[in-house]
Every structure is written in C-alpha cells, then in structure tokens.
C-alpha cells in the first residue's frame, strides 16, 4: 500500500548516524571577561549553554557528541582570586 511505500521513502532519508558538536565551552567559576586573544567570554554561562545543548541533543536523539576544544578555561588557575573553587 501507499503507507508502506511512504515509510520506505522516509527511512531512505534518515541519517545513518547522527552526532553533535560542541566547541570551546570555556567554563570557569570567575566573572565574565575576555579570552587571552581579547574575545568576550561568558565563563559561568558556559554550564547553562552546555546543558541547553545536551537537552537538544537528547531531544534529537543524537548518537554521539564530540567536544572540540577546552571544557574548562585556562583562567581557572585564577579561581581562588575570585573566592571560588573549580568544583563550583
């Protein structure tokens, strides 16, 4: 019937494999600032953005997620200066 033909056509258009990509999350428990190169960084917001991405990947049933870059910013070495710890 038409429904099985339609179903077969949908299967043909499904991706074989799906993956998500995150790049340079750059979390740090410090006030917002700038990267070493001068680009604005929203350090604490990184966790919220990563969570939003994770929810999206789950909703889309992404099979694999790859992170390209740093998860924790190099400025975490200054975390005690701001009264925090990396576990915040």
């Amino acid at each position: 019937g038409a429904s099985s033909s339609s179903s077969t056509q949908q299967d043909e258009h499904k991706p074989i494999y799906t993956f998500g990509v995150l790049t340079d999350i750059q979390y740090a428990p410090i006030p917002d600032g700038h990267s070493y190169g001068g680009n604005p960084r929203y350090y604490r917001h990184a966790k919220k953005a990563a969570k939003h991405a994770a929810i999206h990947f789950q909703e889309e049933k992404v099979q694999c997620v790859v992170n390209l870059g740093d998860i924790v910013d190099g400025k975490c070495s200054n975390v005690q200066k701001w009264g925090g710890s990396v576990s915040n």
Side-chain angles (χ1 to χ4, degrees):
S3 64
S4 65
S5 173
S6 174
S7 173
T8 305
Q9 287 176 348
Q10 287 177 344
D11 290 342
E12 289 177 7
H13 291 94
K14 279 186 171 179
I16 295 170
Y17 193 75
T18 57
F19 66 97
V21 177
L22 292 173
T23 60
D24 286 329
I25 296 171
Q26 303 293 353
Y27 171 74
I30 62 175
D32 293 340
H34 294 85
S35 68
Y36 295 111
N39 296 318
R41 291 266 171 85
Y42 307 100
Y43 297 112
R44 292 176 194 231
H45 178 71
K47 277 186 174 179
K48 186 175 183 179
K51 183 176 182 177
H52 178 77
I55 290 168
H56 176 74
F57 295 147
Q58 288 174 342
E59 289 171 350
E60 294 296 320
K61 296 180 175 52
V62 172
Q63 295 165 307
C64 178
V65 176
V66 178
N67 177 51
L68 305 175
D70 301 340
I71 293 173
V72 177
D73 191 82
K75 290 189 178 182
C76 272
S77 61
N78 298 333
V79 74
Q80 275 92 19
K81 174 181 172 183
W82 301 102
S85 68
V86 177
S87 63
N88 282 355

